[in-house]
Amino acid sequence: MDRNYILTESGPVRAPSMPTKWSFNTFKEMFDIKIVFKDDMEMEFDVIGVEPSLANAFRRILLSEVPSIAIKEVHMYMNTSVIQDEVLCHRIGLIPLKANPRNFEMQQEGAPPSEHDTLEFELRIKCTKNNSAPAKTTELADLYKNHMVYSKSIKWLPMGDQDKMFSASDVGPVFDDILIAKMRPGQEIEMKMLAGKGCGKDHAKFSPVCTASYRLLPTIELTREIDGDAAYRLQKSFSPGVIDVVQRGGKPVAVVKNARYDNGSRNHMLHSDFASFVKVGRVPDHYIFTIESVGAIEPEELFLEAVDVLKAKCTNLLAELNKNS
Amino acid sequence: MSGSAGTLSLPFVYRPSHVSKAVILKMATPRAVPADSTPAEPLIVTLTGDEDNETDRTFVFANEGHTLGNALRSIVARYPDVLFCGYTVPHPAEAKMNLRIQAFQTPALDILKRALTDLSQVCDHVKKTFTERVAEFKQSNGEAMEMG
């Protein structure tokens, strides 16, 4: 516990002590990654043995420097819905697209859109009265046709040879049921959209992650046996699964089962009889990373891209310095 | 921009009041720059004031921020031959990051190069470990699914 942060009523104390001298071999010995959970959209993994600065660099790069594809230009031909043009365009821009950014180039400033850097989409939809609606119905879905505009109505228009490389399901919206607008009979939306590659630091719509965050691994230490009624009170003051109560010597005794899912509530401090025997802390170099993708790229690919971005920064600068000296 | 910029050798000088003379290093990454616009600013220059001592330098990084600044700082600050290292983003609206290195004897430029090499080695190792662990995870989960 010596190296850990310890939480007191006044905040965390005891600064962590990383090795004071840098050496790549020491880093290699201390560093490890453990994958905890993974699916197509989300993953949780532990990064062990790094400084906060490196963990934070990866997190920041995931949020703002890993490129993704989003709609960046809208040509509005008709919008008689109640949503203003600019609000509608903003909503359109935030729809996540499935297109893989690695298949596209960054559009050069001032250059015309081409099949290598742009995806074209179209949305044409008109709300009408449903003449065959059942009598006396008050359901909007029965009364009107197309009164809800969903992302599934966005049609892909392949440019050049794009239709040979991709199918509509490879490039279109990640979800079919994103509500874009609501309309009433007679209202109409008609627009063309141009999607391109960008980075989160230019606009949040280009961020490839819903969230990318980390927290430190919690530790809990009981410095004295807590038994009887107090054991149950201790168990209740933490999240479920953190503290277990076992029978030992004929009485219930509290043991730490899994500190990982402690939420840091400090509720145990309300119980003055055992508060001082519970040491809650954090392991200073054990990061629990969570990456949630918006759906275009799998989360493990995103993390590898983030590492590549940081490496590219280093190699570009090194090349620049070596060229001039 | 000065035509003789490329001929100057390091250590180089960045004078905020005479920016047109300060261009030493050109952009390394291809960026979206129309042909007729002004040239892109250099990736990295040094701040004026340390000309008589090559162990002390403030490097000014263009288009960088806390991401690279703090990562480099955390490595350089732990070099035994470095007296001081710190970084700052002088103004949030300006995409510039200053990294200050003061060494005992080693030229600050060498320290910066070493830090960049170390950081890219770290990236390689992180990538390798992560790829291995993901493969292991997929394998063990595949086995668990077959057994279940």
Side-chain angles (χ1 to χ4, degrees), chain B residues 19-147:
Chain B
V19 179
S20 63
K21 290 179 188 167
V23 181
I24 320 298
L25 301 168
K26 277 178 251 155
M27 196 83 181
T29 44
R31 282 200 65 210
V33 179
D36 55 343
S37 75
T38 49
E41 58 179 329
L43 273 185
I44 179 170
V45 293
T46 54
L47 213 56
T48 184
D50 293 312
E51 288 77 13
D52 40 340
N53 194 351
E54 62 172 2
T55 58
D56 304 346
R57 282 287 179 281
T58 299
F59 299 98
V60 181
F61 295 71
N63 292 317
E64 291 296 347
H66 299 280
T67 306
L68 188 70
N70 200 18
L72 281 178
R73 192 222 92 244
S74 72
I75 291 178
V76 176
R78 283 155 65 198
Y79 286 152
D81 52 345
V82 168
L83 174 68
F84 171 82
C85 179
Y87 87 97
T88 173
V89 176
H91 196 282
E94 205 181 18
K96 279 199 166 73
M97 184 268 291
N98 293 6
L99 182 79
R100 172 87 177 150
I101 296 175
Q102 284 173 225
F104 291 108
Q105 284 167 345
T106 331
L109 186 65
D110 293 355
I111 305 254
L112 177 63
K113 283 183 187 172
R114 198 198 308 162
L116 288 166
T117 315
D118 278 345
L119 187 55
S120 83
Q121 260 188 313
V122 164
C123 289
D124 286 338
H125 186 68
V126 170
K127 196 174 175 181
K128 183 173 152 268
T129 314
F130 186 80
T131 316
E132 281 170 13
R133 296 291 181 270
V134 168
E136 285 165 19
F137 181 81
K138 280 182 180 164
Q139 203 181 7
S140 62
N141 265 34
E143 279 166 17
M145 279 163 76
E146 277 166 31
M147 282 158 71

Side-chain angles (χ1 to χ4, degrees), chain A residues 2-6 12-18 284:
Chain A
D2 285 335
R3 290 183 54 237
N4 296 346
Y5 291 108
I6 303 296
V13 293
R14 268 195 226 179
S17 52
M18 287 296 280

Side-chain angles (χ1 to χ4, degrees), chain A residues 232-252:
Chain A
Y232 292 103
R233 281 186 288 124
L234 179 73
Q235 188 180 33
K236 273 192 176 169
S237 60
F238 286 96
S239 302
V242 175
I243 301 287
D244 206 8
V245 178
V246 296
Q247 292 295 325
R248 194 185 292 159
K251 56 184 178 180

